[in-house]
Amino acid sequence: MNVAEIIDYERRQKAGKSIGSGRMEKAVDLVIGHRQKRKGMSWSSLGSKALAILKVVELNGEWQQFWFPETVI
């Protein structure tokens, strides 16, 4: 069991931090959902997952490393 990775919600709440997933869900909707919900679009589960992975790679600034790992120093 990965005890260190379990979130202590009570501690987070006492520190004034968010404990809900609403912000993350909204971010996913804005970033991924917007692209997938355009008129005439349809996505398979695999295609949807692939798009999400590529978007995360782009947002993390890892595009070059993802596509050309041998050229990254």
Side-chain angles (χ1 to χ4, degrees), residues 9-10 14 17-18 21 24 28 36 54:
Y9 290 105
E10 185 178 352
K14 285 179 182 176
K17 295 184 177 182
S18 171
S21 62
M24 180 57 70
V28 168
Q36 294 181 337
L54 291 175

Side-chain angles (χ1 to χ4, degrees), residues 5-60:
E5 295 180 19
I6 297 174
I7 298 170
D8 184 344
Y9 290 105
E10 185 178 352
R11 185 174 170 203
R12 274 188 71 81
Q13 195 168 27
K14 285 179 182 176
K17 295 184 177 182
S18 171
I19 60 169
S21 62
R23 293 173 74 189
M24 180 57 70
E25 290 176 23
K26 183 63 177 176
V28 168
D29 187 44
L30 290 173
V31 174
I32 304 299
H34 176 73
R35 171 68 175 89
Q36 294 181 337
K37 293 177 185 176
R38 290 187 179 161
K39 186 176 181 179
M41 293 282 180
S42 66
W43 293 85
S44 67
S45 290
L46 184 61
S48 180
K49 183 176 180 178
L51 177 63
I53 290 168
L54 291 175
K55 192 62 181 175
V56 168
V57 168
E58 178 189 31
L59 292 171
N60 286 339

